[in-house]
């Protein structure tokens, strides 16, 4: 028993030593206030990059590059704070939900997105974000917040130059010719989708869903009327969505690809059965069907859109050129900020290499 007790103490001591080693600072950034970057923070960022890139391991040189990026980030965050630039937690959350809504093709709240994740993956929102990014949901939103602060700072400092950036007509047309083979519109369905969340009262949700469904089936209501009603009745969601004949669209809808193909065999005006899922009741109406085609430069990018392929490519090239300019601006600014007065490396040379090679 004494040997077992001794072994337990030794194991606890080893755990404590590892924890202390992870907390050792590698860099102190002191432009606006004193902040450290610890070994654990670097390890966490490396693990996050592994998740996002699918790379199993990084070399010492690559870990140094990641550490350098973290130093640059801290310097930019501190100088942004010095200039009074900030982003609130709610703004970071709004940005996250806007991104998720764009991917899903519908506006969602955090609770609705969490429900969709639960239905499609069986994971909690926190576990899903960890699986995708290597960060907890809270840590990921904090990461987004920092990126938005840096972005706003760079934009504020370079706004006039960025506003002048625009591709020429010849660049847009050349870009179209390069991208032409990928500018294909797949078969598309325009659906009117109605969703009634279960919430805390399943019976009330079922009653509401049947009321809306029967109204559509019996022609006592219309999609336009439901669009108007949803403005005052928050017990359901309803709106137009466009569905492509792709595996990605099937995943976004939470159905198999075979089920998606079955949808495309239905005619315009088809009303689906009322379906009950774990979190909601839903049904859809096929409002229009659009055949697949290669998009010409004057075509609209999506049915019933006002944005042409030409305008879409102009915007894409503008963003590309602006991003190239911003990357150069960040490099210039961080070089100017990397002076001894603003930061100090606490581990260098062989000592740093040995530390980074140990994991």
């Amino acid at each position: 028993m004494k040997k077992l007790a001794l072994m337990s103490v030794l194991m606890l001591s080893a755990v404590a030593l590892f924890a202390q080693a992870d907390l050792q600072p590698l860099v102190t950034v002191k432009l606006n206030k004193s902040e450290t970057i610890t070994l654990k923070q670097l390890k966490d960022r490396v693990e996050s990059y592994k998740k996002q890139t699918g790379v199993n391991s990084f070399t010492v040189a690559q870990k140094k590059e990641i550490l350098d990026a973290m130093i640059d980030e801290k310097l930019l965050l501190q100088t942004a704070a010095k200039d009074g630039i900030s982003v609130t937690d709610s703004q970071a959350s709004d940005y996250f939900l806007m991104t998720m809504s764009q991917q899903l093709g519908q506006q969602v709240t955090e609770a609705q997105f969490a429900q969709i994740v639960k239905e499609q993956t069986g994971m909690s929102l926190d576990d899903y974000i960890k699986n995708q990014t290597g960060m907890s949901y809270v840590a990921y939103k904090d990461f987004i917040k920092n990126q938005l602060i840096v972005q706003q700072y760079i934009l504020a400092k370079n706004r006039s130059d960025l506003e002048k950036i625009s591709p020429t007509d010849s660049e847009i047309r050349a870009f179209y010719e390069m991208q032409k083979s990928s500018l294909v519109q797949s078969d598309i369905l325009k659906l009117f989708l109605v969703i009634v969340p279960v919430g805390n009262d399943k019976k009330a949700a079922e009653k509401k869903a049947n009321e809306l469904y029967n109204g559509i089936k019996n022609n006592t209501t219309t999609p336009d009327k439901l669009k108007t009603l949803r403005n005052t009745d928050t017990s359901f969601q309803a709106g137009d969505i466009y569905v492509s004949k792709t595996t990605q669209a099937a995943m976004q809808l939470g159905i198999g690809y075979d089920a998606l193909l079955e949808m495309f065999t239905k005619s315009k005006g088809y009303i689906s059965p009322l379906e009950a899922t774990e979190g909601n009741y839903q049904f859809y109406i096929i409002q229009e069907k659009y055949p697949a085609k290669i998009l010409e430069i004057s075509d609209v990018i999506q049915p019933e859109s006002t944005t042409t392929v030409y305008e879409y490519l102009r915007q894409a090239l503008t963003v590309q050129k602006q991003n190239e300019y911003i990357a150069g601006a960040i490099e210039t600014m961080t070089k100017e900020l990397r002076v001894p007065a603003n930061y100090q490396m606490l581990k260098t040379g062989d000592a740093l290499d040995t530390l980074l090679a140990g994991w």
Side-chain angles (χ1 to χ4, degrees):
M1 289 298 291
K2 289 182 180 178
K3 288 183 179 179
L4 287 174
L6 178 60
M7 182 62 71
S8 297
V9 171
L10 289 174
M11 289 176 67
L12 287 171
S13 298
V15 170
L17 286 171
F18 278 121
Q20 289 174 6
D22 276 359
L23 292 176
Q24 64 181 299
L26 304 178
V27 187
T28 298
V29 179
K30 48 186 179 177
L31 185 151
N32 194 34
K33 61 179 179 178
S34 182
E35 288 185 289
T36 58
I37 298 174
T38 65
L39 179 60
K40 183 179 187 310
Q41 289 172 324
L42 176 59
K43 284 183 176 182
D44 288 346
R45 185 65 65 90
V46 169
E47 288 303 313
S48 177
Y49 285 169
K50 284 181 182 179
K51 278 280 187 183
Q52 295 176 51
T53 62
V55 176
N56 291 324
S57 63
F58 288 102
T59 64
V60 169
Q62 288 171 326
K63 290 173 185 176
K64 283 182 176 179
E65 288 179 9
I66 295 171
L67 179 59
D68 277 341
M70 292 177 73
I71 295 170
D72 290 344
E73 182 183 298
K74 287 279 188 189
L75 287 168
L76 287 169
L77 285 170
Q78 287 200 13
T79 194
K82 195 174 181 180
D83 281 8
I85 292 175
S86 63
V87 170
T88 64
D89 291 340
S90 62
Q91 286 173 321
S93 293
D94 289 345
Y95 181 85
F96 170 77
L97 290 172
M98 178 188 71
T99 304
M100 294 302 100
S101 296
Q102 288 173 348
Q103 291 183 18
L104 291 168
Q106 64 182 84
Q107 194 68 36
V108 292
T109 64
E110 184 174 305
Q112 289 167 342
F113 181 62
Q115 184 62 45
I116 291 169
V117 168
K118 185 70 174 177
E119 290 174 359
Q120 296 188 11
T121 69
M123 298 181 185
S124 67
L125 182 54
D126 194 55
D127 287 341
Y128 175 76
I129 297 298
K130 280 181 183 176
N131 183 261
Q132 295 293 311
T133 69
M135 305 179 198
S136 69
Y137 184 37
V138 171
Y140 184 58
K141 286 200 291 186
D142 194 49
F143 175 77
I144 290 174
K145 181 178 177 179
N146 288 340
Q147 299 307 304
L148 289 174
I149 291 170
V150 170
Q151 183 185 81
Q152 286 193 19
Y153 175 69
I154 297 298
L155 289 175
K157 290 294 183 181
N158 299 274
R159 193 175 304 279
S160 60
D161 287 337
L162 286 168
E163 288 173 350
K164 297 173 186 174
I165 294 175
S166 180
T168 63
D169 178 72
S170 59
E171 285 176 326
I172 296 169
R173 294 184 181 279
F175 191 49
Y176 169 75
E177 292 302 323
M178 290 175 60
Q179 301 294 323
K180 191 173 183 177
S181 61
S182 63
L183 291 168
V184 178
Q185 174 186 290
S186 64
D187 290 315
I188 292 177
L189 293 177
K190 179 186 177 183
L191 305 180
F192 178 71
L193 178 64
V194 179
I195 297 175
V196 181
V198 169
N200 298 321
D201 192 338
K202 188 173 182 179
K203 286 186 177 180
E206 183 180 12
K207 181 180 178 182
K208 185 68 178 181
N210 278 297
E211 175 192 321
L212 297 175
Y213 184 69
N214 291 331
I216 289 291
K217 289 285 284 186
N218 300 329
N219 291 320
T220 57
T221 191
T222 65
D224 286 340
K225 287 180 180 178
L226 291 188
K227 287 177 188 176
T228 301
L229 180 61
R230 72 183 176 186
N231 294 328
T232 54
D233 187 344
T234 59
S235 65
F236 74 99
Q237 302 151 25
D240 299 331
I241 65 169
Y242 292 89
V243 179
S244 301
K245 193 190 287 184
T246 62
T247 53
Q248 183 183 6
M251 290 176 63
Q252 289 174 343
L253 290 172
I255 61 176
Y257 189 59
D258 288 343
L260 181 72
L261 292 179
E262 177 67 19
M263 287 173 62
F264 277 84
T265 66
K266 306 302 182 184
S267 302
K268 179 180 175 181
Y270 170 78
I271 303 171
S272 75
L274 178 62
E275 182 182 356
T277 70
E278 183 180 343
N280 60 57
Y281 293 89
Q282 58 181 268
F283 66 92
Y284 64 84
I285 306 166
I286 296 180
Q287 295 187 301
E288 195 58 75
K289 300 181 76 171
Y290 300 94
K293 67 174 183 176
I294 294 176
L295 295 172
E296 298 296 331
I297 198 166
S298 59
D299 286 338
V300 292
I301 198 69
Q302 179 178 294
E304 300 185 21
S305 167
T306 58
T307 303
T308 64
V309 172
Y310 182 92
E311 179 60 21
Y312 172 78
L313 295 179
R314 188 191 71 77
Q315 292 172 1
L317 271 176
T318 299
V319 171
Q320 180 180 309
K321 284 174 170 284
Q322 287 177 337
N323 285 340
E324 289 170 358
Y325 180 91
I326 287 171
I330 289 174
E331 185 177 353
T332 299
M333 293 175 79
T334 50
K335 278 183 180 178
E336 293 172 353
L337 293 171
R338 273 182 175 261
V339 294
N342 292 339
Y343 83 107
Q344 179 185 4
M345 295 295 300
L346 303 176
K347 291 286 184 180
T348 58
D350 292 340
L352 180 60
D353 289 350
T354 300
L355 190 60
L356 298 184
W359 50 279

